[in-house]
Amino acid sequence: MTMSEAINEARRCLNCARPTCRTGCPIANNIPQFIRALSEGNIGLAYETIAERSNLPAICGRVCPHERQCEAHCVLTKNKHGIEIGSLEMFIADFAHENNLKPLPPSTGKRGKVAVIGSGPAGLTVAGDLAKMNFAVTILEGQSEPGGILLFGIPEFRLQKDVVRREITELLHLGVEIKTNMLVGPDFTVDDLFEQGYDAVFMGTGTSLPRTLDIPGKELSGILTATYFLRMVVLSDSGKLDESETLLHDGDNVVVIGAGNVAMDAARTAIRRGAENVTIVYHKTEAEISSFPSEYEAAVKEGVQFNFLKQPIAYLNKKQMRALNNIRRKPAESDETDLAGLLVQNITKTDDGQFVTEGGQEVIPCDCVILAIGQRPAARIVSTTKGIQVDDRGFVITRERPYGMTTRAGVFSSGDVVHGPATVVLAMKESKKVAAGIAQYIDAKKLLEDCCED
Ligand code: SF4
């Protein structure tokens, strides 16, 4: 948007007495107020208003599903011409960055000391909110660069990496310290952090272990997880990895298994990396797809094909594929090691909505399969720290009071490691509540300490 386009769009806002847009925003951004400030040309106030609730406005402006949240709730959407809230948020955040607007002062650090493990949306939100509340915050990130899923999980065409880097820089202006290459387990433990004087520790380590399919042929070369594939592409794009190591070749036939947002990201990335055909294989129908409708529509538009009601049952190598097709050829070394096809079972959806195995099997020829069927948390923190309980799927158990504290006093958590993979803004929503819980805990702890000293 240009400045005049943004202001004209903002002027359409009715500044409703009961702003339904705000109730549709998971972090309750004061949308009418920032839109009004923008409509008056006061972008400094608009940014200040956004910064009160959000630490990542330029990111949210780009990746939040506005069409299902604030924009869906805008009263004008009923007339099919709702306010473009996401675009306005992005415009304001970008303008603030370009003009070096810094609405909030750095943290005094006097209220207490917090270590934040992980720098994805949850960690960055907790760090930003606590810095605004005058806590001294240190982020410990296992990778060589902070950003977590924002940097390595969401592809460049949906979220530019320079936008992620600059939002993280804004946190540095709030006084947040970031230490990279700090992996919990090998480099430090939660107990070490308490010994170093931290009053509380936050775990925002996400779900780094991808789920895989335990079917015949799983050891073949050419089977990747989506998180690994997307990470390799980011590293290759930033010159840290040779392009050949992204494990995809021009002209490849690629099958992506799964139909969530990560599957759409992987499929659209595969097209951009030169794949000839990209097919999403999903065991249910179009109606059950879990990605945002906009992501699905973008994938269809870009040429991703969809093969619904197919359950993968085996990966096939070149030798097996040749035998199926009655092709005789001189054997090659890669015949038994390289993926060449995916055997699927046809599924039928019955009138009462059940999915049943029916209709035989099919083979889908492919050079590469990318698995996007979910992730679960790694157990590094839990295995090196006493007292943190997880549920039977490995997700961290937290409590309501103080909000977000785990079963170990002083250790808090939120984001995907607690709730399972979700959107950036939902991780932010929970993390804002946990930041308030951490502040409440430290204040109470210090009050008790002061009382005991007397
Ligand atoms: Fe403006 Fe729509 Fe929100 Fe009303 S609901 S305040 S018109 S953005």
Side-chain angles (χ1 to χ4, degrees):
M1 273 184 173
T2 62
M3 174 74 81
S4 64
E5 283 169 348
I7 290 178
N8 285 338
E9 180 64 8
R11 284 183 179 155
R12 290 203 306 113
C13 173
L14 305 175
N15 199 15
C16 305
R18 288 205 187 92
T20 45
C21 54
R22 196 171 181 190
T23 49
C25 174
I27 57 169
N29 251 331
N30 196 338
I31 295 166
Q33 188 171 306
F34 80 67
I35 291 183
R36 183 172 189 160
L38 174 62
S39 73
E40 292 164 352
N42 191 344
I43 303 177
L45 178 61
Y47 185 55
E48 199 178 312
T49 306
I50 294 176
E52 276 168 20
R53 299 288 309 161
S54 175
N55 299 304
L56 309 170
I59 292 173
C60 282
R62 286 166 170 84
V63 300
C64 270
H66 299 99
E67 74 277 11
R68 295 203 319 197
Q69 297 176 166
C70 53
E71 291 177 4
H73 287 73
C74 171
V75 289
L76 295 175
T77 299
K78 286 186 196 123
N79 304 330
K80 298 201 182 327
H81 204 183
I83 301 290
E84 291 180 41
I85 301 167
S87 300
L88 295 182
E89 183 182 26
M90 186 165 78
F91 172 82
I92 294 164
D94 289 353
F95 180 93
H97 170 71
E98 281 154 23
N99 293 280
N100 204 24
L101 303 183
K102 302 275 176 275
L104 302 170
S107 166
T108 61
K110 287 185 178 162
R111 204 164 150 191
K113 214 175 146 191
V114 183
V116 170
I117 306 173
S119 61
L124 295 177
T125 298
V126 165
D129 275 17
L130 288 172
K132 288 175 195 166
M133 290 186 256
N134 284 320
F135 288 91
V137 183
T138 305
I139 293 178
L140 301 154
E141 167 56 50
Q143 303 293 328
S144 58
E145 194 176 355
I149 192 166
L150 299 169
L151 198 66
F152 295 112
I154 302 177
E156 177 80 17
F157 59 83
R158 279 217 297 130
L159 178 60
Q160 298 90 335
K161 303 309 159 202
D162 62 338
V163 172
V164 177
R165 292 184 176 109
R166 93 178 187 223
E167 296 267 74
I168 292 172
T169 308
E170 297 298 331
L171 287 185
L172 299 179
H173 290 300
L174 285 175
V176 174
E177 183 187 15
I178 302 181
K179 294 182 180 175
T180 53
N181 294 315
M182 292 292 286
L183 200 58
V184 69
D187 298 317
F188 70 94
T189 65
V190 169
D191 293 312
D192 293 340
L193 297 173
F194 283 121
E195 276 167 30
Q196 288 164 24
Y198 287 98
D199 298 299
V201 174
F202 172 78
M203 294 163 48
T205 41
T207 47
S208 55
L209 291 184
R211 293 187 193 282
T212 55
L213 281 178
D214 189 15
I215 57 176
K218 62 185 178 188
E219 68 291 339
L220 292 177
S221 165
I223 302 163
L224 318 172
T225 62
T227 46
Y228 179 74
F229 169 62
L230 292 170
R231 185 176 154 72
M232 290 300 114
V233 170
V234 171
L235 289 172
S236 151
D237 285 348
S238 55
K240 292 178 181 160
L241 196 74
D242 190 272
E243 202 163 310
S244 62
E245 291 184 61
T246 55
L247 304 173
L248 211 60
H249 308 103
D250 276 352
D252 272 355
N253 282 322
V254 177
V255 164
V256 177
I257 301 176
N261 289 320
V262 177
M264 303 301 156
D265 282 347
R268 295 172 68 194
T269 302
I271 284 186
R272 284 165 174 77
R273 301 299 289 195
E276 176 81 24
N277 297 299
V278 179
T279 305
I280 284 191
V281 168
Y282 183 46
H283 64 291
K284 294 185 177 175
T285 71
E286 184 184 22
E288 284 83 25
I289 278 180
S290 59
S291 75
F292 302 142
S294 56
E295 295 303 313
Y296 171 52
E297 284 157 20
V300 171
K301 216 168 163 184
E302 290 175 10
V304 175
Q305 295 159 51
F306 287 79
N307 207 340
F308 296 114
L309 293 167
K310 309 284 179 214
Q311 177 67 51
I313 51 175
Y315 301 111
L316 304 177
N317 62 29
K318 289 179 180 171
K319 189 175 165 190
Q320 290 167 316
M321 286 294 281
R322 279 214 299 274
L324 279 172
N325 295 315
N326 281 325
I327 297 171
R328 285 169 195 248
R329 216 171 60 194
K330 201 174 148 202
E333 225 176 77
S334 62
D335 277 1
E336 295 188 29
T337 57
D338 285 5
L339 176 80
L342 181 69
L343 180 64
V344 295
Q345 170 68 55
N346 288 317
I347 305 281
T348 299
K349 187 177 183 182
T350 61
D351 291 342
D352 60 355
Q354 302 296 310
F355 293 92
V356 295
T357 301
E358 201 174 77
Q361 299 175 350
E362 275 177 37
V363 173
I364 303 172
C366 55
D367 311 293
C368 173
V369 164
I370 301 176
L371 290 159
I373 52 173
Q375 290 129 251
R376 60 193 168 87
R380 273 196 311 274
I381 297 186
V382 174
S383 63
T384 56
T385 311
K386 277 191 191 139
I388 299 175
Q389 286 176 15
V390 295
D391 67 15
D392 51 7
R393 295 173 309 143
F395 292 96
V396 174
I397 296 168
T398 58
R399 48 201 277 177
E400 290 289 314
R401 215 174 117 80
Y403 196 84
M405 193 158 88
T406 66
T407 45
R408 165 115 185 233
V411 181
F412 292 73
S413 189
S414 74
D416 294 359
V417 71
V418 174
H419 307 285
T423 60
V424 169
V425 75
L426 287 178
M428 286 172 64
K429 177 189 175 187
E430 276 302 300
S431 302
K432 290 186 81 61
K433 287 157 72 181
V434 175
I438 294 172
Q440 191 184 41
Y441 169 81
I442 295 177
D443 287 348
K445 179 175 165 265
K446 289 194 180 293
L447 183 67
L448 271 180
E449 285 166 1
D450 290 350
C451 293
C452 293
E453 270 174 24
D454 294 342

